[in-house]
Structure formats: C-alpha cells, structure tokens
Amino acid sequence: MDNDSNDDTVNYETILSECLEQSCERLIASISSIMDLIVQKIQQNCSNSIRQVLDIPRQYRWTNREFPSNASSYVSNIIHPLMKLDGLGLRLSQSVPNAQPFLSTLIKKCITTVTHDYTAQLSEVSTSVRKMEDSIRRLREVRRSSSQIFNQPQSVNGSSGFHSDDKIRHQLYLDAKAYIDEVRKFWSLDRDYTCELDDFMEQIDTIRTEPNVSIMNTIPAVSQE
C-alpha cells in the first residue's frame, strides 16, 4: 500500500519535462560552441587573403601601372570559403528544414565576421594612403615656399595623369564592390549584414577619382570554382 501511495504522488510528467529541458539546454550550449568554432575556422581561412590588401599600395606607388579596371584576384579567395559554406547551408536547409534557422544564423555570423575584418583592412590602407598624401602635400608646400621645385614623375601615370594614390583608392573600391556583390547573392543574407562595408564604400567613393564612369560597369564576376 505504501508503494502504491508513493507512486501516486510522483509527477512523472514534470520529471520528464525537466529532463527534456535540461537536455535541450545542453544541446543549445553545444550548438553555440560548434557555431563559434566554425566561424573561427572560416575567419582563419579568409585572413591570409584579406591581408593581401596591404600589397595594393606597393603595386601602384612609384610605378607606371595603368589605372585599375578590375577587382584584385585575392577577392575570390576571400569569397571561396564563404561560398562553400553558403552552398552547404542551402543544401542542408532543403533536406532538413528544421535546421534552416541555425544554418542561416551561422552563415550570417561568418559573413559579419569576415566582412568586419575585410573592412578594417581596407580602412587601414585607405587611412595610410591619406596620411601619405598629406605628408607629400606638406612637403610640397615647404619646398614651394623656399622656391624649389618638387617633382614626382614616378607617382603619376604618363598616359592617364592620375597619381598613384588615385589608383590605390580606386582599386580598393573595385575590390570592395566585387566582394559585396558576390556576398549579396547568398541565400540567407540581406543588406544589414554588409552595412559596415557599405559605409566604407560610400566614404571612399567621395574621394576617389576615375577616368571614366564606364569602368564601374566592367567589374568581373568572382569565380565560383
């Protein structure tokens, strides 16, 4: 009789619910850790390509290289890991619809992280270019005031008349636009996740110089291989 009485007082539904809640909490905690690990790996895979932005000034400063009309090849290397993840996420979301919210969040987090790193590197180079321009301008003023002529024959392309800094800024713009155009094709993304790069493009667009507006219509598509 005592055992039957004890069984009657046990709320098995409550116990089962508590166990399920605890299991769900553990699963959610594990998913968060897995997501952070994937984001970290994607960030690492893209970091070497992002650092190639630092090479752009060297390609144009004190050279006679033509005014840029195409995005740099490193952009496709940044896009590639993100594109593979996006394709995998799309396939999994179709076969396992319940996983779509997690996959969408994962892709957006990866995009946000990589875009932040890329924007920071672009901004660093752009700031460096501006500081170099300011230094050269001050030096010219000093020499002009002392009646000396200051020439920079290597920093200007003879055929176009554009300074190396103009070329650098335009290359940064082309690269950023190529990146953002490809990223916006991803299935789970909207403009909010690239707003940081959008702001950079607006800033550099106000100070860059280009020989012909039609150049902006010749940006190549990034390879999806």
Side-chain angles (χ1 to χ4, degrees):
M1 294 293 293
D2 291 341
N3 290 337
D4 292 340
S5 177
N6 290 336
D7 289 341
D8 291 339
T9 61
V10 175
N11 190 332
Y12 291 103
E13 183 177 350
T14 300
I15 294 175
L16 181 59
S17 297
E18 291 176 351
C19 290
L20 288 174
E21 288 178 2
Q22 292 176 5
S23 298
C24 288
E25 289 175 358
R26 290 171 182 169
L27 284 173
I28 292 173
S30 299
I31 289 174
S32 179
S33 299
I34 293 172
M35 182 181 295
D36 290 341
L37 180 61
I38 294 174
V39 171
Q40 182 181 2
K41 291 297 183 182
I42 292 291
Q43 185 180 26
Q44 290 174 350
N45 287 341
C46 296
S47 62
N48 288 336
S49 299
I50 289 175
R51 281 197 291 270
Q52 291 183 38
V53 176
L54 297 172
D55 293 333
I56 292 177
R58 178 181 55 79
Q59 296 171 10
Y60 291 101
R61 185 161 283 136
W62 318 119
T63 70
N64 288 323
R65 187 168 180 172
E66 292 296 328
F67 199 89
S69 59
N70 298 311
S72 302
S73 59
Y74 77 84
V75 177
S76 62
N77 295 330
I78 300 176
I79 290 291
H80 188 63
L82 300 173
M83 191 174 293
K84 288 180 64 177
L85 179 64
D86 179 69
L88 176 62
L90 179 59
R91 291 193 298 273
L92 289 176
S93 67
Q94 292 171 344
S95 58
V96 188
N98 290 338
Q100 182 170 339
F102 165 76
L103 294 168
S104 178
T105 300
L106 172 62
I107 292 172
K108 289 175 180 177
K109 194 169 184 178
C110 288
I111 292 294
T112 302
T113 301
V114 172
T115 300
H116 172 77
D117 292 348
Y118 184 36
T119 304
Q121 195 71 88
L122 289 168
S123 299
E124 179 182 334
V125 172
S126 178
T127 299
S128 175
V129 169
R130 186 175 66 252
K131 289 180 178 179
M132 175 67 77
E133 278 186 317
D134 292 341
S135 297
I136 292 175
R137 187 178 299 109
R138 286 193 296 268
L139 183 58
R140 281 175 173 168
E141 291 173 354
V142 169
R143 293 198 172 189
R144 188 179 296 113
S145 64
S146 60
S147 300
Q148 294 182 8
I149 299 176
F150 182 71
N151 292 320
Q152 282 186 288
Q154 291 179 307
S155 67
V156 181
N157 183 285
S159 60
S160 65
F162 286 94
H163 286 275
S164 57
D165 295 330
D166 297 326
K167 300 174 186 178
I168 294 169
R169 272 192 294 266
H170 193 66
Q171 186 67 70
L172 295 177
Y173 182 90
L174 291 175
D175 294 351
K177 190 174 190 307
Y179 170 86
I180 207 168
D181 285 349
E182 288 299 319
V183 164
R184 283 180 178 156
K185 297 176 183 178
F186 292 174
W187 69 278
S188 62
L189 204 67
D190 53 47
R191 297 181 69 91
D192 291 342
Y193 292 89
T194 58
C195 59
E196 188 176 14
L197 188 55
D198 285 332
D199 291 342
F200 169 80
M201 290 181 63
E202 289 179 5
Q203 292 172 11
I204 201 168
D205 192 31
T206 61
I207 58 176
R208 72 188 177 93
T209 307
E210 56 178 317
N212 194 318
V213 176
S214 63
I215 285 180
M216 297 312 301
N217 298 323
T218 61
I219 298 173
V222 177
S223 173
Q224 299 186 16
E225 296 181 357

